[in-house]
């Protein structure tokens, strides 16, 4: 009761303060409701803070050690202290899992619960393997266990809101590009400036529902011709929205019945018109673009408003004989068929610079093969033998983008870079992959001398660069190598459960089932053999205990077969697993 009175008292004080802070203005019903909502949020925050101060655990607490993060992959069959904390999180997030103990063993019940956790949060393919994506979600949940309480500040007076006209209002953005000089190379076929920002437009939605813009028609004016523009685009920041559909009789049209872009109810969106200059465009020309009237904008808005024409600034052309050039070419691919493996070179290509020092700021690739987006992973971009960037996974449309803006790939003039795209093949048996640079905009190159973006391959149009042939992924692959810590030297007579050999084993492409394994033993013990031979996989015994045969030389008579049926499966989880052969150091008859 005392705590309840304290909560009521705190709430009352805050409400009292908030009432005093309200400005003496004539407020609308919506503005009054906004004030009420703000006060209720403050009261809720103070109540949460009071709960924490009184020592009550916040909802969603996972009872893991403070500061703990999941820093390594976890998989079925392994034993690790992190599994204990994994179970604590799963206890909260997966309420219908099978009962387990608090041990460090990642058993079948834990794997089943991880699958449900991955399905709950739509984390890739729900395999039960705790990899980078699953760990990221687990750590995000832990980071959000206790939410700091934002200090309560007095309610400030409501600033009168400038009414927004119903419908879609179009205007130049405050930071629309200024008038500038744009450059083409005066030599035949040697390129021109690309990605030139012509106008930045602000679209403001005054309707109560989202507005979809389906068509924009810009008019070109100035001392120029339509042929002086080789390509045009719409961008939302650095995101390409659309390429133009037609450009005739000074009218540049973008149209898409599904929508060029959408402006949320009550919100604004900035959209930039960019264009590429045609090769060998003469100096002294001028180009500008405008939306001449409301009819130049087609949308589902109740009306289109603005002060028309909405006009961008003038771009004036100049010519130079040494505009930077970037030539991109296919080199090779991995071949018509490949085994599942890690670090495979899936696309080799070259980047050659000329005339000026260049910066490559973005490279985008598309897999046009039949594999799923997650059949290849851990993409790495190499400049020769040096890794310069990596992307963990492809997007759902099977594209991957290396954004090098913060640390561009520099290509001095006259230098050719041999580039390699590498990836791990983690699935996709009997399917194909084939990488391509689909569009001119997939490569962003910058001339550092003139301070302009340039067209790759200096073409007015673009032909996709596709690695050939398409590569088919073979069936799953199992690799096994002697572990560097495999024992050697003397062993103690009559020792039990002694590790006599240790191997690294890894499955790629798909899970691999081992139905039987032969261990060969030979040496001076001749035909007596060793007692109680066992096979252990990641710390757990597989199959039955069998006395080991032996022979004096390396022949089949020294083979002992261990049979596993359907119980021994190596997961294609990208991890290297441990396999050990153990035995008692005494003769097979137990003496």
């Amino acid at each position: 009761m005392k705590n309840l009175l304290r909560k009521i008292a705190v709430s009352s004080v805050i409400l009292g303060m908030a009432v005093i802070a309200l400005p003496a203005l004539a407020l609308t019903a919506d503005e009054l409701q906004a004030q009420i909502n703000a006060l209720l949020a403050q009261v809720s925050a103070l109540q949460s803070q009071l709960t924490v101060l009184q020592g009550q655990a916040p909802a969603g607490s996972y009872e893991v050690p403070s500061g703990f993060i999941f820093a390594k992959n976890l998989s079925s069959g392994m034993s690790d202290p992190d599994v204990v904390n994994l179970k604590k999180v799963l206890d909260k997030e997966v309420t219908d899992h099978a009962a387990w103990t608090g041990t460090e063993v990642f058993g079948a019940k834990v794997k089943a619960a991880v699958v449900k956790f991955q399905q709950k949060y739509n984390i890739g393919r729900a395999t039960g393997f705790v990899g980078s994506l699953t760990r990221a979600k687990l750590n995000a949940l832990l980071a959000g266990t206790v939410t700091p309480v934002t200090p309560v500040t007095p309610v400030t007076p409501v600033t009168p809101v400038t009414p927004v006209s119903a419908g879609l209002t179009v205007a130049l953005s405050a930071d629309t590009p200024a008038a500038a000089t744009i450059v083409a190379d005066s030599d035949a076929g040697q390129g021109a400036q690309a990605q030139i920002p012509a106008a930045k437009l602000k679209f403001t939605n005054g309707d109560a529902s989202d507005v979809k813009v389906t068509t924009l028609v810009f008019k070109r004016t100035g001392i120029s011709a339509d042929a002086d523009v080789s390509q045009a685009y719409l961008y939302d920041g650095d995101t390409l929205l659309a390429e133009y559909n037609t450009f005739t009789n000074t009218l540049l049209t973008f149209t898409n019945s599904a929508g060029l872009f959408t402006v949320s109810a009550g919100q604004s969106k900035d959209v930039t018109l960019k264009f590429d200059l045609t090769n060998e465009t003469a100096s002294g020309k001028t180009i500008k673009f405008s939306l001449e009237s409301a009819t130049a904008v087609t949308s589902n808005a109740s009306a289109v408003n603005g002060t028309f024409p909405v006009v961008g600034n003038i771009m004036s052309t100049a010519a130079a004989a040494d505009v930077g050039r970037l030539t991109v070419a296919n080199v090779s691919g991995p071949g018509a068929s490949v085994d599942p493996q890690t670090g495979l070179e899936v696309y080799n290509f070259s980047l050659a610079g000329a005339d000026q020092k260049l910066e490559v700021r973005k490279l985008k690739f598309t897999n046009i093969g039949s594999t799923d987006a997650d059949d290849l992973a851990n993409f790495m971009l190499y400049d020769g033998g040096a890794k310069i960037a990596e992307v963990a996974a492809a997007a759902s449309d099977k594209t991957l983008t290396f954004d090098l803006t913060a640390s561009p790939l520099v290509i001095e003039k006259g230098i050719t870079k041999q580039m390699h795209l590498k990836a791990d093949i983690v699935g996709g048996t009997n399917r194909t992959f084939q990488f391509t640079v689909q569009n001119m905009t997939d490569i962003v190159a910058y001339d550092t001398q003139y301070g302009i973006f340039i067209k790759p391959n200096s073409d007015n149009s673009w032909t996709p660069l596709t690695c050939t042939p398409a590569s088919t992924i073979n069936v799953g692959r199992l690799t096994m190598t002697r572990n560097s810590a495999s024992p050697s030297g003397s062993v103690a007579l009559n020792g039990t459960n002694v590790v006599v050999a240790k191997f690294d084993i890894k499955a790629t492409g798909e899970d691999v089932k081992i139905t039987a394994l032969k261990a060969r033993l030979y040496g001076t013990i001749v035909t007596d053999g060793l007692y109680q031979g066992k096979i252990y996989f990641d710390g757990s015994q597989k199959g039955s205990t069998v006395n080991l045969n032996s022979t004096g030389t390396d022949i089949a008579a020294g083979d002992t077969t261990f049979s596993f049926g359907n119980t021994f499966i190596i997961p294609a989880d990208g991890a290297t697993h441990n396999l050990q052969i153990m035995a008692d150091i005494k003769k097979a008859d137990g003496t």
Side-chain angles (χ1 to χ4, degrees), residues 339-342 429 474-479 506-510 512 572:
D339 289 329
Q341 57 192 281
T342 60
T429 295
N474 296 329
V475 295
R477 181 183 182 188
L478 186 70
T479 57
K506 184 176 183 178
T508 51
E510 56 186 335
V512 177

Side-chain angles (χ1 to χ4, degrees), residues 180-457:
T181 300
I182 56 180
V183 185
D185 200 301
S186 57
D187 292 337
Q190 292 202 3
Q193 186 172 346
Q195 300 288 310
I196 303 163
K200 188 174 183 180
L201 306 172
K202 182 178 289 294
F203 294 82
T204 303
N205 181 7
D207 286 346
S209 58
D210 294 350
V211 165
K212 182 195 302 180
V213 176
T214 54
T215 300
L216 291 176
V217 181
F218 294 89
K219 182 177 178 63
R220 178 198 55 78
T221 54
I223 306 171
S224 56
D226 293 349
D228 295 327
V229 175
S230 65
Q231 181 62 279
Y233 320 89
L234 293 178
Y235 273 84
D236 176 5
D238 292 328
T239 302
L240 176 65
L241 298 175
E243 297 186 17
Y244 82 102
N245 298 84
T246 61
F247 192 13
T248 56
N249 297 324
T250 74
L251 298 181
L252 177 66
T253 302
F254 297 85
T255 186
N256 185 343
S257 60
L260 296 168
F261 57 89
T262 298
V263 187
S264 300
Q267 302 297 314
S268 295
K269 179 182 285 292
D270 287 323
V271 174
T272 301
L273 169 66
K274 297 183 180 183
F275 70 94
D276 296 345
L277 191 60
T278 300
N279 294 358
E280 302 174 63
T281 298
S283 61
K285 293 191 173 186
T286 57
I287 301 172
K288 66 178 178 179
F289 288 93
S290 60
L291 293 175
E292 288 293 290
S293 67
T295 59
V297 181
T298 303
S299 72
N300 63 334
S302 61
V304 176
N305 312 305
T307 302
F308 293 98
V310 179
V311 186
N313 287 309
I314 295 175
M315 304 295 153
S316 303
T317 65
D322 59 350
V323 173
R325 289 183 290 132
L326 178 69
T327 301
V328 189
N330 291 323
V331 174
S332 66
S337 64
V338 297
D339 289 329
Q341 57 192 281
T342 60
L344 176 68
E345 292 183 354
V346 295
Y347 186 23
N348 298 316
F349 60 101
S350 64
L351 299 173
D355 290 333
Q356 303 294 346
K357 181 171 76 172
L358 305 177
E359 291 180 352
V360 177
R361 298 186 175 183
K362 186 182 82 169
L363 287 165
K364 180 180 178 181
F365 304 92
T366 302
N367 177 7
I368 60 173
S370 60
T371 51
D372 290 334
D374 56 357
D375 285 332
L376 280 73
N378 301 322
F379 296 91
M380 296 166 285
L381 183 65
Y382 279 77
D383 169 13
K387 184 171 72 173
I388 60 173
E390 57 185 302
V391 174
S396 59
D397 62 355
K398 299 197 291 187
T399 62
L400 55 141
T401 301
F402 293 93
D403 188 345
L404 309 177
T405 305
S407 182
L409 173 64
V410 176
I411 305 178
E412 299 288 347
K413 62 180 179 180
I415 297 298
T416 298
K417 297 277 191 180
Q418 298 301 326
M419 307 298 296
H420 312 281
L421 176 63
K422 298 184 179 183
D424 296 347
I425 301 179
V426 297
T429 295
N430 294 324
R431 296 182 183 179
T432 63
F433 64 84
Q434 187 173 25
F435 285 91
T436 176
V437 181
Q438 283 284 86
N439 305 296
M440 186 182 296
T441 52
D442 290 346
I443 299 180
V444 176
Y446 186 77
D447 180 332
T448 61
Q449 173 64 31
Y450 287 103
I452 61 173
F453 292 99
I454 59 172
K455 308 172 188 177
N457 289 357

